[in-house]
Amino acid sequence: MFYCDVLFLLQEKEGLPAFPMGKIDQTRMWKVGERVRAARPAGDLGPLHPFTAGVYVALMMAQVLRSCSEHVRTTKC
């Protein structure tokens, strides 16, 4: 189903020389995340809300399925 996309990514693995990928692990967000995880006690994941997690996963799956169906309708491999 996604053969064309996978093939395209494999062919373009070098990327565009004019726009190289930067390192994201040096950005402010990643550095703050490292500090937060370092301060957290081992094994403590914080409060987990099953309903919120379920809604999040359901919305992500709906988005993936929608993009898959659009891809199938528009791609002619």
Side-chain angles (χ1 to χ4, degrees), residues 48-59:
L48 299 176
H49 303 283
F51 179 79
T52 304
V55 169
Y56 179 80
V57 170
L59 291 174

Side-chain angles (χ1 to χ4, degrees), residues 12-76:
E12 299 295 325
K13 66 181 174 186
E14 300 301 318
L16 296 173
F19 303 101
M21 289 289 286
K23 288 189 157 254
I24 63 170
D25 61 346
Q26 298 301 313
T27 61
R28 182 176 181 269
M29 180 183 75
W30 283 81
K31 289 182 178 188
V32 168
E34 284 178 355
R35 285 197 310 262
V36 168
R37 287 187 298 276
R40 185 184 308 155
D44 180 20
L45 298 177
L48 299 176
H49 303 283
F51 179 79
T52 304
V55 169
Y56 179 80
V57 170
L59 291 174
M60 292 300 291
M61 289 304 298
Q63 187 175 15
V64 167
L65 293 175
R66 182 173 180 262
S67 66
C68 290
S69 65
E70 286 182 20
H71 177 77
V72 168
R73 281 186 278 136
T74 60
T75 301
K76 295 178 182 173

